[in-house]
């Protein structure tokens, strides 16, 4: 039986009010997460350093560890632990630290493989132009146009990026083992990390990758963009499901669609249609709430198969692929570890 129109209207108002309350709760929860993130970022960036760190780590290295930790969501003390084990934070005079390689083919203060038994995790020559894109993890971290394995301004953020790409958010020990295939090495790095943290070992694991990156992203923007991002942040950690549009699982375009729906805007369902729908924005001008597109494994530059939601410069929230929870990831770097493909473009719905 059809209910009277007045009743339908009342129901619509009730549903709309309920949706508004639900959305407000999502935004408040996201704001709380960012406040918590501001506390957690101390373990990633500053200032909780034990006296051991200040007295034994050169000031430049300490600053680079903190900066890279905040950018990539890795506890700075872990990066310092790697730097200590590999090169005494650049103070070692052993072969390969400042020039050439060691006997295994590793180079620089973080001892990236540049050939030989160590493989080539750096990608390309030890020193090469930033415009020379490679398949490794070496990046131009200090923006001087050169990717230099011997420069801590490049080597330290490259190590942080490597750890992030190898799942440090979910399993730090496994990511460290991927960096150097030795259980003793992992223990040694974590031991140094605990010594450098003012709170000891608990402080090393106090901040998750997502918390660090949310804190580094700063406050939510106002208006539609803030609502879109708040919704996406509330889904962090949920599983990927092809065709998923929530509330329990998402694929990339399903997450984007539902985040915009939370802000009262309707956008198409698929990444290919979303690419055609929005206003094209030059990637360097991307703002929080914009959509960033990639060819992905099942698309092309003309019909992108993957999309993420921009939350800050070079950072997005994405539902990446089966086996990866909804996560924060970087994009637009010169090489392509998992989840960091070359950018096709950016749109603003």
């Amino acid at each position: 039986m059809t209910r009277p129109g007045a009743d339908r209207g009342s129901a619509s108002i009730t549903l709309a009010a309920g949706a508004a309350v639900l959305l407000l709760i999502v935004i408040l929860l996201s704001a709380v997460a960012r406040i918590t993130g501001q506390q957690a970022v101390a373990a990633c960036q500053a200032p909780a350093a034990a006296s051991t760190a200040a007295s034994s780590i050169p000031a430049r290295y300490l600053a680079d560890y903190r900066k890279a930790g905040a950018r990539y969501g890795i506890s700075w003390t872990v990066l310092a632990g790697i730097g200590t084990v590999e090169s005494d934070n650049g103070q070692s005079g052993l072969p390969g630290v400042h020039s050439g390689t060691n006997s295994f083919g590793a180079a620089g203060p973080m001892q990236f493989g540049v050939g030989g038994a160590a493989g080539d995790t750096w990608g390309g020559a030890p020193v090469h132009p930033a415009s020379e894109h490679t398949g490794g993890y070496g990046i131009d971290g200090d923006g001087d146009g050169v990717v230099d394995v011997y420069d801590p301004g490049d080597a330290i953020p490259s190590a942080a990026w490597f750890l992030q790409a190898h799942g440090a958010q979910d399993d730090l020990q496994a990511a460290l083992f991927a960096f150097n295939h030795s259980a003793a090495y992992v223990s040694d790095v974590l031991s140094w990390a605990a010594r450098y943290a003012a709170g000891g070992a608990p402080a090393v694991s106090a901040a998750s990758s997502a918390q660090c990156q949310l804190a580094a992203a700063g406050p939510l923007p106002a208006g539609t963009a803030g609502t879109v991002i708040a919704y996406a942040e509330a889904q962090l950690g949920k599983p990927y499901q092809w065709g998923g549009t929530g509330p329990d699982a998402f694929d990339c375009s399903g997450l984007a669609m539902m985040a915009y729906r939370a802000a009262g805007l309707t956008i198409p369902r698929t990444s290919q249609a979303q690419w055609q729908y929005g206003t094209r924005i030059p990637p360097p001008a991307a703002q929080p709430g914009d959509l960033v597109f990639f060819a992905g494994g099942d698309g092309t530059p003309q019909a992108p198969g993957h999309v993420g939601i921009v939350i800050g410069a070079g950072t997005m929230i994405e539902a990446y692929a089966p086996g990866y929870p909804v996560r924060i990831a970087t994009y637009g770097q010169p090489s392509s570890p998992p989840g960091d493909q070359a950018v096709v473009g950016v749109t603003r719905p």
Side-chain angles (χ1 to χ4, degrees), residues 23 82 162 245 249 300:
L23 181 57
I82 293 174
F162 180 100
T245 57
T300 68

Side-chain angles (χ1 to χ4, degrees), residues 240 242 251-253 270-275 292-308 319-320 341 344:
Y240 176 95
W242 188 83
D251 67 8
C252 64
S253 55
T270 67
S271 58
Q272 293 86 353
Q274 289 169 359
W275 171 241
V292 56
F293 292 85
F294 312 85
D298 58 351
T300 68
Q302 293 72 39
H306 184 58
V307 61
Y320 175 56
Q341 313 96 320
V344 168

Side-chain angles (χ1 to χ4, degrees), residues 51-149:
S51 58
T52 307
S55 63
S56 63
I57 301 175
R60 180 189 176 184
Y61 276 72
L62 189 56
D64 284 340
Y65 292 142
R66 287 171 167 167
K67 181 178 178 181
R71 172 74 191 274
Y72 291 97
I74 305 297
S75 174
W76 71 264
T77 59
V78 172
L79 299 174
I82 293 174
T84 299
V85 173
E86 299 289 8
S87 70
D88 190 19
N89 303 300
Q91 298 172 104
S92 171
L94 291 174
V97 174
H98 300 287
S99 64
T101 68
N102 68 11
S103 58
F104 295 98
M110 305 301 273
Q111 292 289 277
F112 270 92
V114 295
D120 184 14
T121 52
W122 183 251
V127 182
H128 62 265
S131 58
E132 186 179 298
H133 294 186
T134 75
Y137 292 89
I139 62 173
D140 179 15
D142 55 12
D144 64 359
V146 178
V147 181
D148 186 348
V149 75

Side-chain angles (χ1 to χ4, degrees), residues 44 68 98 100 121 126 128 138 175 190 200 203 207 209-210 250-251 279 316 333 335:
C44 303
H98 300 287
T121 52
H128 62 265
L190 291 177
S209 174
F250 297 84
D251 67 8
T279 301
M316 65 180 174
Q333 300 288 0
S335 57

